[in-house]
Amino acid sequence: QVQLVESGGGLVQAGGSLRLSCAASGRTFSTLTMGWFRQAPGKEREFVTALTATGRSAGYADSVKGRFTISRDNAKNTVALQMNSLRPEDTAVYYCAADFGGGTWYEDAHEYDYWGQGTQVTVSS
């Protein structure tokens, strides 16, 4: 079992930055692909970014490329999402997710085995 706990959400003005963090329990973190998804009111959950277990391969949604960066610290069992140049359309609940695949990353939420409870990010215009 893996438990994921997100933190770092909040309210920020457009153009600002936020850093989300996800802490994972368990001793298998270094074997997990980690991803971030988001869900805005009335919309489906969408892929934001993901990072393989070794950190050597990452993928980003087109809407966040060049603005968001995912990183991980396998010694601390954490994954972070640095969000810069935030826009009102980035407003959503952000979820951390883990997949035992490890060697690749996925955009499909169904590929992920564990999910955090989510953290709210609100970007005002």
Side-chain angles (χ1 to χ4, degrees):
Q1 290 287 334
V2 176
Q3 291 187 328
L4 305 173
V5 179
E6 302 98 335
S7 61
L11 173 64
V12 64
Q13 288 189 331
S17 299
L18 276 176
R19 185 177 178 86
L20 305 183
S21 183
C22 174
S25 66
R27 295 175 290 180
T28 61
F29 182 79
S30 63
T31 66
L32 301 172
T33 286
M34 299 300 297
W36 287 96
F37 289 75
R38 66 187 182 186
Q39 187 167 17
K43 295 187 177 181
E44 293 187 352
R45 189 170 298 190
E46 65 174 1
F47 171 77
V48 176
T49 180
L51 184 64
T52 56
T54 61
R56 293 174 183 166
S57 179
Y60 294 89
D62 288 342
S63 59
V64 306
K65 280 181 182 176
R67 301 188 298 124
F68 290 13
T69 303
I70 188 171
S71 61
R72 66 190 296 157
D73 186 336
N74 285 350
K76 296 182 178 180
N77 283 14
T78 58
V79 61
L81 179 62
Q82 179 65 43
M83 305 185 294
N84 299 327
S85 302
L86 283 161
R87 305 167 180 168
E89 53 264 39
D90 294 318
T91 294
V93 177
Y94 283 71
Y95 297 91
C96 174
D99 166 54
F100 279 109
T104 189
W105 53 269
Y106 304 95
E107 294 187 15
D108 186 349
H110 294 97
E111 294 288 346
Y112 290 81
D113 303 295
Y114 297 97
W115 293 83
Q117 81 289 349
T119 185
Q120 177 70 46
V121 171
T122 303
V123 184
S124 63
S125 57

